Amino acid sequence: LTVTKYYVIICQGQKSNTFLPKQNSIVSLEENLSKTEAELAEAKTTIMNDELERRRLHNTIQELKGNIRVFCRLRPLPASKKSSNLSVNHEENSLTLTTTNESVSGTATKKVNSFQFDQVYDGSADQAAVFAEVSQMVVFQ
């Protein structure tokens, strides 16, 4: 039972000329409602398609960067661990640890280890800097 039919049932006994303008107004409102509902359904479909496209593009970007990434965050050595036999050098994506050990006979041996990472953060990097890089890999629902 639509609003128009309901209005007609109520007004059947009336002999006034006010019925037709009101009925036309109700019909026009019902048409506007139908159009608005159709536009809303179309907008929802567009939003859903756009979200699917955004996710597809996001996944493509993540695959191009690499699904598995390794980050290194250097922390300053505590005073109790600081010594002259360890040095740490880093560039944007590499880290080199150099250790010097003295043997019992007094000869020093120098050992150099180099590592490659997707990103190396030094001791002054804060949590926000690290999160800015890794947040793109986190999926929020």
Side-chain angles (χ1 to χ4, degrees), residues 1-16 18-24 26-27 30:
L1 188 65
T2 65
V3 175
T4 305
K5 289 180 184 177
Y6 182 71
Y7 189 75
V8 169
I9 291 170
I10 291 174
C11 296
Q12 279 179 345
Q14 295 181 3
K15 301 280 186 194
S16 90
T18 61
F19 173 69
L20 286 177
K22 289 181 180 178
Q23 182 181 12
N24 290 340
I26 290 173
V27 168
E30 286 177 340

Side-chain angles (χ1 to χ4, degrees), residues 106-118:
T107 58
T109 57
K110 189 175 186 180
K111 185 175 180 183
V112 177
N113 294 312
S114 294
F115 304 95
Q116 293 293 320
F117 299 97
D118 290 303

